[in-house]
Amino acid sequence: MSRHRKVALVGNPNAGKSALFNALTGARQKIANYPGVTVERKAGRMVLPNGEPVELVDLPGSYGLDPTSPDEEVTSQVVLGEFPGEQAPDVIVLVIDASNLEQHLVFAQEIIALGKPVVVALNMLDLAERDGLALDPPALQEALGVPVVPTVAVRRRGLDDLAAAIASVETLEYSPRPKLTLTERRVEAQAIAQGTILSETRTRRLHSRLDTVLLHPWLGPVILFALLFVIFQAVFAWATPFADALEGAIAGVSVFVQDVMPSGLVRDFITEGVLAGVGSVVVFLPQIVILFFFILVMEASGYMARAAFLMDRMMQSVGLSGRSFIPLLSSFACAIPGIMATRSIADPRDRLTTILIAPLMTCSARLPVYAVIIAAFIPNRTVGGGIGLQGLVLFGLYVAGILGAMIVALFLRRSLTSGAASGFIMEMPKYQLPRPGDLLIGLWQRAWIFLRRAGTIIFVVTVVLWLLLSFPKAGPGENQVDASIAGQLANGLAVVVEPIGFNRDMALSLIPAMAAREVAVSSLATTYAVEAETEDAEAVALGDQLRARWTLPMALAFLAWFVFAPQCMSTIAVTRRETNGWKWPAFMLLYLFGLAYIFAGITYWSATALGL
Amino acid sequence: MTLDDINPGQAARIMAVDWSRLVSEEALRLRALGIDVGAQIRVAHRGVFGGRDPLAIEIGRTTVAVRRAHAEAVEVEQL
C-alpha cells in the first residue's frame, strides 16, 4: 500500500486553522504529541474530489520560520522537512485571515518562497465583509502566484473548491520568488494587501465596540469576575436535573441487579463495587460538560485573550504574565491540558512556575468531592439576591485555590524560579460566534476522556478497594470495614491525619484518591455500601451517610485538604514529562501535601473553636 | 516620546526601536507582528492598575497586547 500524501495547514495564530481543520476532517481526528517535544500533533483524514485520501495535519500557528516558541519550532521544522520521523508535507495549505492581509501575508510570503506546492485558503471572508472590506481574490492569486480559494470554515463555505485546489495543485507552474528580509516582506505584504482590497469602509468595527466594554479599565474586570461567578453557579444549578436523572438510573440498575441475581460475591461486586463506585463518579459528567462548555465558548469566541489582557497586571504582580492565565484557566477543567498548554509560554522560569501552581486551580475532578460534601453539609438556601449558599461555598473553594496559587507563585519567583521579569506579547483575535459543531466535537472529546477514566483507572481502583474492603470477611458482630485489609491500612494513615480532624473513613478514601481525586467519592460510597450491608441496614444515599458520620468541621477540613492536595497521578506524570525529570514533580508533591495538611488543620481547628 | 507616553485612543508613528532593551525572542515576535520602524499604530486600550499596564496596540487590522516594558523601548511621534 502506498503512503497517503500529506497536506499541512500552516498559518498565523488566529487565522481560523483549527476551524478549517475541523470542517475538513470532521470528527475523524487523531490527537497525539510530536515525539520528544510537548507540542500537540493534530492529524485527520480527508478525501479529495478525485477519491484520493490524504492525511491532513494542523500545524501550530506561527509568525515566521525563525521560531520564538517551541510551537513555532515544530511548525518550522515540519514545513522544512527537518523534523525527525515526520514526513515533510506534500502540499501546504496556507490559511490567511482575509481581514488581516497586511499581517498574515508576511509569513505567507516566507512559506511560498520555499517553492513547495501551496494553496492559499483566504479564510474568514465573512468577518472581513462584516468589517466593511471588499476583496479581490483573483488579484491576490495573481500577486502571490499560487491558487487562492476563498473560504469560510465555520460556515463550510469554499471547502469543495479548496479540496479541488489541493488535488490539482501539483500541476501548476511556479516561479520561485527571491528570498526577502522581514522588512522587505512587510513592505511587499502591504502592497499586495492594497492591491487586493477593492474598497474599505471605515466602519466602527464590532470587535472594537465590544473591546471598549470588555477591556474597559473598570468594567472589564467586573464583567470577567461576574462571568466566572455565573459559570460556577451554573455548574451547580444547571447540572442538578441531569445528575439526578443519572443517579436515578444507576440506582435503578442496582435494584434490578439485586432482584435478578442470586445473592453472593458476584452480586455484591456489581452493586457495591462497580455501581456504587464508578456510578458515583459518572453522575458528575453533567457538571464537567457544563464547565468545559464555558471554557470552550470563551476560547472559541476570542474572549479568553481579553481575559488574559485583563489579568496580565495581576499576574505580573506575582511574577507571571497574562499568558499564564490561559493554562491556569484550562486547569480549572483539568491540570493535564493546563500543564500541557504552558508550552506557549516562552520564558522557561515563567513556564515552570505556571506548571507548579496549575494543580492549585480547582480541576473538574475535585468537583465530585466538593459537590458531595457541599450537598451533604451546606444548607440549600439563598443568601439573598438569588445567590445560593452552596454555590457561594463552591466559589469560595475556587478562590482559595487561586489565592494559594498566587502566593505560591510569588514565593517561587523570588526563590526557586527567580529571574528577569517575563514579557507579555499576545495577539488579540477577533470576536466570533463559536460554531456549535466545533463546540460539540470539543465537548465530546472532554466527556470521552472523563468517561474513559471512569471506565479504566477509576474502575480498577474501585474494584481493588472493594476487594481490600471485603476481605477478610468479618466475624459475627464485627464491623466489615474494621476487619478488612483496607481498614487496617487506613488505621495507620488515620494516626497521621487525626490531628487535622480526619476520621478513619476519610483516611481510607485518601489512599485510592491518589489515582484521581474523584475516586475519594467512589471509595466513600463503596466503604459505606460495604458497611451498610454487614450492618443489615438499607443502603442509604451517600449524603445521608456522610451527615450521620461526619461533623461540619470535619467536612470543611476535608474540603480544605482537597483545595491543595496533589491527589492525581496523571498530573504528577505529565509534570515529570514536561519538566524532564523527577525533581519538580517531587517538589510539587511535597509542597502541596504540606499545604493541604496545614490548611485542613487550620480549617478544622478554627471551625471547632467557632463551635460549628 | 515613547509608546508608553501615548494615551488610549491616540495614534502614533514608530520612529525608532531600541531592540537592545528587549529579549531577542520578544524583539522577533514584535517585529513579526509589525511593530517596527515606520509602522503607524494606535493605542486602543490600557489596563487600569500599576501605571496602566498592559497596552493593547492596534496595528493595521490586528490588535496586539504588549507591556509597558516593551512600549518604553519604542520611540514614537504622536499623530
Side-chain angles (χ1 to χ4, degrees):
Chain A
M1 198 186 92
S2 66
R3 67 171 179 86
H4 297 319
R5 287 200 301 156
K6 185 158 117 185
V7 178
L9 293 182
V10 181
N12 286 52
N14 307 317
K17 274 185 314 94
S18 296
L20 189 60
F21 180 75
N22 281 345
L24 289 172
T25 60
R28 293 158 296 177
Q29 303 181 5
K30 261 174 76 178
I31 299 174
N33 262 0
Y34 285 98
V37 286
T38 49
V39 176
E40 207 167 69
R41 182 185 192 277
K42 275 172 78 182
R45 240 170 67 106
M46 74 178 276
V47 180
L48 299 182
N50 58 8
E52 181 199 350
V54 294
E55 190 195 21
L56 190 70
V57 182
D58 183 16
L59 291 176
S62 195
Y63 291 100
L65 288 174
D66 295 321
T68 63
S69 75
D71 276 22
E72 290 191 350
E73 195 157 351
V74 166
T75 300
S76 165
Q77 288 186 346
V78 171
V79 167
L80 297 173
E82 289 167 357
F83 199 94
E86 181 79 22
Q87 158 206 336
D90 301 287
V91 178
I92 292 174
V93 174
L94 200 47
V95 189
I96 293 178
D97 175 2
S99 51
N100 223 337
L101 289 176
E102 313 81 332
Q103 193 56 258
H104 287 198
L105 286 175
V106 177
F107 181 38
Q109 291 177 76
E110 204 177 1
I111 293 292
I112 293 169
L114 297 173
K116 282 179 177 285
V118 171
V119 176
V120 170
L122 188 60
N123 199 24
M124 305 204 277
L125 209 59
D126 57 334
L127 292 187
E129 282 160 9
R130 193 184 73 186
D131 283 0
L133 267 181
L135 297 181
D136 182 7
L140 184 62
Q141 177 160 327
E142 180 82 7
L144 292 176
V146 297
V148 171
V149 182
T151 55
V152 182
V154 293
R155 313 233 175 288
R156 310 191 61 84
R157 261 161 52 190
L159 299 184
D160 294 341
D161 294 344
L162 185 62
I166 295 169
S168 60
V169 65
E170 276 190 326
T171 57
L172 289 173
E173 280 286 317
Y174 287 97
S175 50
R177 306 170 68 83
K179 290 254 179 205
L180 300 172
T181 65
L182 180 57
T183 314
E184 287 166 337
R185 285 203 307 274
R186 183 153 39 244
V187 173
E188 182 74 13
Q190 245 150 24
I192 298 173
Q194 264 157 27
T196 306
I197 297 171
L198 293 172
S199 68
E200 188 176 8
T201 40
R202 271 278 163 202
T203 49
R204 222 167 125 64
R205 281 163 287 162
L206 176 68
H207 83 102
S208 67
R209 274 203 303 264
L210 274 170
D211 271 348
T212 310
V213 179
L214 296 176
L215 291 185
H216 187 276
W218 297 107
L219 217 49
V222 172
I223 293 172
L224 174 60
F225 282 101
L227 180 67
L228 294 178
F229 189 76
V230 166
I231 292 173
F232 298 130
Q233 286 283 333
V235 162
F236 235 83
W238 298 0
T240 313
F242 300 102
D244 287 349
L246 269 175
E247 204 162 1
I250 292 161
V253 174
S254 187
V255 168
F256 175 75
V257 172
Q258 299 250 0
D259 286 347
V260 298
M261 282 183 73
S263 70
L265 209 55
V266 179
R267 193 184 80 176
D268 289 353
F269 169 74
I270 292 174
T271 56
E272 292 166 12
V274 179
L275 288 171
V278 177
S280 61
V281 173
V282 170
V283 294
F284 295 99
L285 185 64
Q287 292 187 330
I288 282 153
V289 168
I290 289 171
L291 184 66
F292 270 115
F293 168 79
F294 281 106
I295 285 181
L296 288 171
V297 167
M298 281 169 80
E299 251 168 22
S301 63
Y303 183 72
M304 201 70 111
R306 272 70 186 184
F309 181 86
L310 292 170
M311 295 302 289
D312 180 63
R313 188 62 194 80
M314 207 160 126
M315 305 296 283
Q316 203 182 341
S317 64
V318 296
L320 295 171
S321 84
R323 267 197 188 275
S324 297
F325 183 69
I326 295 170
L328 291 178
L329 196 63
S330 307
S331 301
F332 280 114
C334 176
I336 295 154
I339 287 171
M340 286 168 65
T342 59
R343 61 195 177 209
S344 66
I345 303 170
D347 185 277
R349 292 184 205 88
D350 233 19
R351 178 161 180 256
L352 179 59
T353 314
T354 311
I355 290 175
L356 289 174
I357 64 170
L360 281 169
M361 299 297 122
T362 303
C363 66
S364 50
R366 283 175 175 95
L367 264 182
V369 182
Y370 289 174
V372 158
I373 309 290
I374 288 175
F377 289 94
I378 308 297
N380 184 13
R381 59 181 174 85
T382 60
V383 290
I387 297 165
L389 185 61
Q390 294 187 332
L392 200 63
V393 170
L394 184 68
F395 188 66
L397 291 169
Y398 277 83
V399 171
I402 296 166
L403 285 179
M406 295 294 122
I407 293 164
V408 169
L410 201 60
F411 272 103
L412 288 175
R413 287 298 268 161
R414 292 180 182 197
S415 51
L416 292 169
T417 59
S418 63
S422 52
F424 173 62
I425 301 170
M426 189 169 155
E427 193 182 329
M428 316 271 255
K430 290 197 168 50
Y431 289 106
Q432 295 189 60
L433 269 184
R435 187 175 154 262
D438 287 346
L439 288 180
L440 278 178
I441 290 175
L443 280 180
W444 165 246
Q445 283 169 347
R446 301 323 195 279
W448 177 239
I449 288 169
F450 176 77
L451 286 176
R452 206 174 47 196
R453 263 158 67 98
T456 53
I457 305 173
I458 298 172
F459 176 78
V460 170
V461 172
T462 311
V463 167
V464 168
L465 182 74
W466 179 81
L467 287 170
L468 291 177
L469 274 168
S470 301
F471 298 98
K473 280 288 172 204
E478 219 183 341
N479 183 307
Q480 173 59 42
V481 173
D482 287 339
S484 68
I485 303 169
Q488 301 295 326
L489 282 174
N491 285 339
L493 184 65
V495 177
V496 181
V497 293
E498 203 199 330
I500 59 169
F502 286 17
N503 64 19
R504 205 267 327 272
D505 305 336
M506 292 157 100
L508 178 61
S509 72
L510 297 183
I511 301 171
M514 267 319 288
R517 293 179 180 89
E518 63 267 42
V519 178
V521 172
S522 61
S523 66
L524 284 170
T526 305
T527 306
Y528 292 140
V530 170
E531 205 167 89
E533 188 218 18
T534 54
E535 283 169 2
D536 210 21
E538 284 280 306
V540 279
L542 180 57
D544 299 327
Q545 294 273 13
L546 293 174
R547 260 194 302 278
R549 292 156 201 265
W550 298 13
T551 63
L552 181 57
M554 286 163 70
L556 294 176
F558 198 64
L559 289 176
W561 172 272
F562 273 96
V563 170
F564 298 98
Q567 307 231 190
C568 176
M569 289 200 287
S570 320
T571 302
I572 302 301
V574 81
T575 305
R576 200 212 77 85
R577 206 184 57 194
E578 300 285 320
T579 59
N580 287 320
W582 280 111
K583 181 180 163 194
W584 293 110
F587 172 76
M588 184 190 265
L589 270 174
L590 273 177
Y591 102 84
L592 286 173
F593 270 130
L595 285 180
Y597 194 85
I598 291 166
F599 280 92
I602 291 174
T603 307
Y604 178 70
W605 302 320
S606 38
T608 308
L610 288 168
L612 290 175
Chain B
M1 179 180 249
T2 71
L3 180 53
D4 187 35
D5 301 318
I6 307 293
N7 288 320
Q10 289 180 334
R13 187 189 308 283
I14 298 176
M15 306 307 288
V17 182
D18 184 358
W19 297 115
S20 65
R21 292 181 61 165
L22 302 168
V23 187
S24 63
E25 285 90 11
E26 292 193 347
L28 198 58
R29 173 63 61 89
L30 285 178
R31 291 190 71 197
L33 287 164
I35 297 183
D36 205 346
V37 178
Q40 194 178 318
I41 52 123
R42 196 179 82 93
V43 175
H45 304 278
R46 300 191 66 149
V48 64
F49 308 107
R52 314 221 60 191
D53 205 9
L55 298 83
I57 309 288
E58 271 179 20
I59 172 152
R61 286 177 170 270
T62 331
T63 309
V64 180
V66 298
R67 281 221 180 129
R68 289 185 69 194
H70 308 122
E72 282 165 359
V74 179
E75 196 74 34
V76 297
E77 157 192 86
Q78 198 177 314
L79 293 176

